[in-house]
Amino acid sequence: MDHAVLLQKILVVSFIVALFWKIIRYMCNLLNVEKEPVRVLVTGAAGQIGYAIVPMIARGVMLGPDQPVILHLLDIEPAAEALNGVKMELIDAAFPLLKGVIATTDPIEACMGVNIAVMVGGFPRKEGMERKDVMSKNVSIYKAQASALEKHAAEDCKVLVIANPANTNALILKEFAPSIPEKNITCLTRLDHNRALGQISESLDVQVSDVKNVIIWGNHSSTQYPDVNHATVQTSSGEKPVRELVSDDKWLNAEFITTVQQRGAAVIKARKLSSALSAASAACDHMRDWVLGTPEGTWVSMGVYSDGSYGIQPGLIYSFPVTCEKGKWSIVQGLKIDEFSRAKMDATAKELVEEKSLAYSCLN
């Protein structure tokens, strides 16, 4: 073979290798293309929970470490200066995933094009106020915000209501935002779920990550039912039922339940302020699992629109065990409900029916 032919072959092979690596680099760049930012609304953003949750969202705790976000922060006019301070701190933190911050007191501007709405803002119950007075204030707030979301949010907007009474505020929002699918409106009971996991973890002296499948049934209130009948703990010899490991039905059916039900009040008593850090973290857990999916074999608790499962009146926003996949939640079906559980589930449903009636009387 003469040198000219050999040189020609070497050049051809070199060209093919160079082209191959160019294609590989191109494919890698395609895979690494930055995602489009997700627009996340946080109402009551200058408050305690708002202040705790916005850096979590900006850091990727809610939607993942590769998901850019644009934060839409809404609060009332008297909190405008504090809200601007929150915006300043977000800018100063230089979060790589944070692609923009809108801080406003205008619900229309705040809701424009949002993909996720975290409804933290609400009217808190003050000393001497009747339940109906608080309900009336929150009905007004959620009616107005529902209208803004209805007209200006993205079509697929996912809504999480945190402000109390969370279940009924979510129901009011659903009433006045009829174009948002009922499956896209939820309320936060993940905080109660996480509290239940924490209590089991402490009782058994195990890692909280090894405990799964507790359930919060019903209302985010002192009538909620924390249920461990289907919960398990990962041990060195495999998964074991919580009831078997705790081996104290009296504690599980009494003190455990009341501790979880009244944990919010205990936090207020201890720090003279309501839960903020844990509520913000739970909200991120709720939304992350909803958007990215729950692990195989694991369910979580979410306040969702009842379809009649487990004999719960359709049309209530009630906390059920759910699994999530591809951005959609499904109620876990076929769980055995004993007599004790049935009574607790019905009691919390009864309270929600009463709240719904009270809310509708405020509308009228």
Side-chain angles (χ1 to χ4, degrees), residues 229-242:
N229 287 328
H230 311 279
T232 60
V233 178
Q234 185 65 46
T235 71
S236 56
S237 55
E239 284 188 1
K240 302 285 186 183
V242 163

Side-chain angles (χ1 to χ4, degrees), residues 279-317:
S281 180
C284 288
D285 291 343
H286 173 114
M287 197 57 73
R288 184 181 61 251
D289 284 340
W290 189 2
V291 172
L292 301 178
T294 46
E296 186 72 30
T298 300
W299 63 65
V300 293
S301 301
M302 288 171 59
V304 299
Y305 197 69
S306 173
D307 60 0
S309 293
Y310 296 100
I312 302 305
Q313 180 180 308
L316 295 177
I317 302 285

Side-chain angles (χ1 to χ4, degrees), residues 42-47 73-84 104-107 121-124 126 141 145:
V42 178
T43 72
L73 310 180
L74 175 68
D75 217 312
I76 55 176
E77 194 62 47
E81 191 175 353
L83 185 65
N84 191 48
T104 181
T105 58
D106 177 8
F123 194 90
K126 296 179 179 177
I141 291 167
Q145 292 184 352

Side-chain angles (χ1 to χ4, degrees), residues 43-45 47 49 74-76 118-126 134-135 137-142 145 161-166 169:
T43 72
I49 297 174
L74 175 68
D75 217 312
I76 55 176
V118 182
M119 315 300 285
V120 181
F123 194 90
R125 188 169 185 172
K126 296 179 179 177
V134 184
M135 187 70 76
K137 293 277 188 185
N138 280 295
V139 163
S140 298
I141 291 167
Y142 276 82
Q145 292 184 352
V161 176
I162 297 176
N164 289 320
N169 284 343

Side-chain angles (χ1 to χ4, degrees), residues 100-359:
V101 183
I102 296 164
T104 181
T105 58
D106 177 8
I108 292 172
E109 183 185 5
C111 292
M112 197 67 69
V114 295
N115 309 103
I116 288 171
V118 182
M119 315 300 285
V120 181
F123 194 90
R125 188 169 185 172
K126 296 179 179 177
E127 194 173 342
M129 288 186 76
E130 297 293 328
R131 276 180 76 221
K132 185 164 183 176
D133 298 331
V134 184
M135 187 70 76
S136 180
K137 293 277 188 185
N138 280 295
V139 163
S140 298
I141 291 167
Y142 276 82
K143 184 177 176 182
Q145 292 184 352
S147 177
L149 283 170
E150 164 85 2
K151 293 172 185 170
H152 303 291
E155 257 183 54
D156 62 345
C157 182
K158 288 178 163 59
V159 182
L160 168 60
V161 176
I162 297 176
N164 289 320
N167 299 59
T168 301
N169 284 343
L171 192 64
I172 294 301
L173 194 146
K174 181 201 155 295
E175 278 298 308
F176 290 95
S179 72
I180 298 177
E182 60 194 32
K183 278 214 157 198
N184 280 28
I185 296 175
T186 65
C187 80
L188 186 71
T189 57
R190 183 61 174 270
L191 175 54
D192 309 301
H193 182 100
N194 288 353
R195 285 167 171 166
L197 292 175
Q199 289 302 305
I200 296 301
S201 164
E202 291 282 297
S203 172
L204 294 174
D205 193 23
V206 297
Q207 294 299 311
V208 73
S209 55
D210 289 331
V211 188
K212 70 176 187 179
N213 294 352
V214 298
I215 302 168
I216 303 297
W217 299 100
N219 199 3
H220 174 62
S221 75
S222 59
T223 69
Q224 65 176 262
Y225 171 43
D227 177 6
V228 298
N229 287 328
H230 311 279
T232 60
V233 178
Q234 185 65 46
T235 71
S236 56
S237 55
E239 284 188 1
K240 302 285 186 183
V242 163
R243 280 204 180 270
E244 178 186 315
L245 293 176
V246 172
S247 192
D248 186 348
D249 284 349
K250 186 179 177 185
W251 181 78
L252 286 171
N253 291 344
E255 187 182 334
F256 163 75
I257 292 173
T258 55
T259 297
V260 175
Q261 289 173 333
Q262 297 169 14
R263 187 67 162 185
V267 170
I268 291 172
K269 186 177 179 183
R271 68 185 296 259
K272 310 300 182 271
L273 292 165
S274 59
S275 304
L277 183 155
S278 55
S281 180
C284 288
D285 291 343
H286 173 114
M287 197 57 73
R288 184 181 61 251
D289 284 340
W290 189 2
V291 172
L292 301 178
T294 46
E296 186 72 30
T298 300
W299 63 65
V300 293
S301 301
M302 288 171 59
V304 299
Y305 197 69
S306 173
D307 60 0
S309 293
Y310 296 100
I312 302 305
Q313 180 180 308
L316 295 177
I317 302 285
Y318 188 98
S319 182
F320 289 96
V322 303
T323 55
C324 304
E325 187 178 6
K326 296 179 181 175
K328 298 184 185 300
W329 55 263
S330 302
I331 296 172
V332 176
Q333 298 293 338
L335 297 175
K336 186 179 177 184
I337 306 298
D338 62 22
E339 201 173 313
F340 178 85
S341 296
R342 182 77 265 165
K344 295 283 187 186
M345 291 163 65
D346 289 345
T348 191
K350 182 173 181 284
E351 182 183 54
L352 281 170
V353 170
E354 290 167 0
E355 277 190 15
K356 180 180 179 180
S357 176
L358 184 60

Side-chain angles (χ1 to χ4, degrees), residues 34-35 56-69 95-99 288 292:
E34 192 174 78
K35 296 177 178 178
M56 294 182 186
I57 299 169
R59 198 176 282 282
V61 175
M62 178 179 280
L63 297 173
D66 62 346
Q67 178 58 66
V69 293
F95 294 110
L97 290 173
L98 186 58
K99 303 304 178 184
R288 184 181 61 251
L292 301 178

